[in-house]
Amino acid sequence: MTNEELKNLKSNLVVDARGTACPGPLLAAKKAIGDIESGEIMEILSADEGTKNDIPRWCDKVGHEYLGFVDEDSFSRLFLIKE
Amino acid sequence: MENSNEVTIEQLKKQLDVLQKKVGKLEKNRKDQLSMAVVSGDFDKILATMIISLAAAAMDTQVKLFFSFWSLSALRDPKKSPKGKDFISKMFGMMLPKGKDKLSLSNMNMVGMGPMMIKMLMKKKNVLSLEEMFKQAGELGIEITVCEMSMDLMGFKKEEFIDYPHLRFAGAATFVADAGESAIQLFV
């Protein structure tokens, strides 16, 4: 997905994990994933740089489809589709 | 011709059966599981243990921690003081850190200044505290096994450990069995 496409994406759930460092955002994502249905889009807000590598690895392992990330001023928005 | 062909399929089926059994056994032997033998009682090493465990649990990997020797200090509850200890056990109890908040750093401890600074930085950088990590570990079903032998050796009692939902007491064979079926094994 291109940056433009990601920016215009409508998420079903936004998880704000900007207040925690590694592995906080991953834990927040794992907890929140149960709140959406299969095929829905989850967006994770993270200020932790490592999360950009960790979330795709998590998706790979668990089976969610990682879409990519968009950088904002002091954080990133990461997108995925639930398996 | 046809006849010989059938025999080959029969043989293939047999081989497939054998293979399937072997694969099944391998899969059973190596579960998506992380086993850690935690021997160190340093703040930094317990921290690393918890971060790796939490990440693994978040990735749906079963986590089993085996706490032995110095690491037992991290599991002590500072609010609990068990009765009926002999002199040496009492001495050990006094000399060893009482709980995860009292652990030293393996490096740059500087008579307690180091841990204080690290905890300050962790707060500033939004890293979960050890207390919070143990809480999350409990929620994610991370299992902690206390080594009975080290517990006896150091004179600790079951009553002085933290109230952790998945705490059990066992021996080295339990770790070996857990580690044997784990895809990931680590020693800290």
Side-chain angles (χ1 to χ4, degrees):
Chain A
M1 266 192 176
T2 66
N3 221 24
E4 224 26 63
E5 281 175 311
L6 284 174
K7 270 182 188 166
N8 294 325
L9 211 59
K10 257 202 127 16
S11 312
N12 298 87
L13 180 68
V14 180
V15 181
D16 190 350
R18 285 174 291 183
T20 64
C22 172
L26 178 63
L27 290 169
K30 148 99 180 158
K31 269 189 191 158
I33 198 82
D35 298 337
I36 59 169
E37 300 296 322
S38 172
E40 290 188 327
I41 297 173
M42 186 163 92
E43 176 179 346
I44 303 148
L45 311 184
S46 169
D48 177 69
E49 276 293 313
T51 304
K52 283 192 228 167
N53 291 313
D54 281 12
I55 293 292
R57 297 302 295 268
W58 170 60
C59 290
D60 248 10
K61 180 166 185 292
V62 186
H64 308 308
E65 188 189 340
Y66 178 67
L67 299 175
F69 68 86
V70 175
D71 273 330
E72 300 288 339
D73 279 346
S74 59
F75 65 98
S76 312
R77 298 161 58 200
L78 299 98
F79 300 88
L80 62 93
I81 300 176
K82 184 176 177 176
E83 188 194 17
Chain B
M1 249 338 238
E2 235 172 78
N3 209 5
S4 73
N5 207 4
E6 252 175 69
V7 171
T8 327
I9 288 175
E10 202 61 25
Q11 281 174 335
L12 274 174
K13 271 186 184 165
K14 260 187 199 155
Q15 281 187 337
L16 195 66
D17 264 358
V18 173
L19 275 173
Q20 271 173 341
K21 263 184 202 152
K22 274 189 182 164
V23 170
K25 214 172 171 187
L26 277 175
E27 274 176 350
K28 217 180 104 202
N29 281 353
R30 282 296 167 96
K31 286 195 257 182
D32 183 9
Q33 182 171 290
L34 162 69
S35 270
M36 290 179 88
V38 190
V39 175
S40 312
D42 303 314
F43 180 85
D44 39 327
K45 290 177 184 168
I46 299 292
L47 188 69
T49 300
M50 295 317 287
I51 292 175
I52 294 169
S53 303
L54 285 175
M59 291 177 86
D60 293 343
T61 299
Q62 177 84 24
V63 181
K64 296 192 172 176
L65 306 177
F66 186 76
F67 273 62
S68 164
F69 227 84
W70 304 118
S71 69
L72 294 191
S73 294
L75 299 177
R76 295 173 81 195
D77 189 331
K79 293 187 293 291
K80 295 179 185 168
S81 35
K83 303 264 178 298
K85 279 194 181 184
D86 61 27
F87 179 70
I88 294 178
S89 299
K90 271 186 198 155
M91 287 293 284
F92 252 92
M94 267 166 57
M95 285 187 295
L96 290 167
K98 207 167 179 188
K100 47 182 140 13
D101 209 38
K102 295 283 190 324
L103 305 177
S104 335
L105 281 175
S106 66
N107 258 309
M108 287 174 58
N109 190 52
M110 302 179 293
V111 218
M113 280 285 283
M116 231 169 72
M117 278 162 62
I118 287 283
K119 280 175 211 166
M120 239 171 62
L121 280 172
M122 280 168 65
K123 213 170 189 174
K124 199 174 155 210
K125 306 262 182 188
N126 292 320
V127 178
L128 295 175
S129 67
L130 268 186
E131 187 69 45
E132 181 62 28
M133 285 192 193
F134 271 86
K135 204 178 136 240
Q136 298 240 10
E139 285 169 16
L140 285 164
I142 291 175
E143 208 172 89
I144 297 181
T145 304
V146 173
C147 166
E148 292 237 50
M149 192 273 277
S150 356
M151 193 180 82
D152 278 352
L153 198 65
M154 295 165 129
F156 289 146
K157 293 194 168 241
K158 286 182 182 174
E159 305 91 84
E160 68 185 288
F161 291 116
I162 50 170
D163 297 311
Y164 184 79
H166 320 286
L167 194 70
R168 57 177 190 173
F169 300 85
T174 298
F175 170 71
V176 174
D178 284 346
E181 59 182 31
S182 296
I184 318 169
Q185 304 121 352
L186 296 173
F187 184 90
V188 179

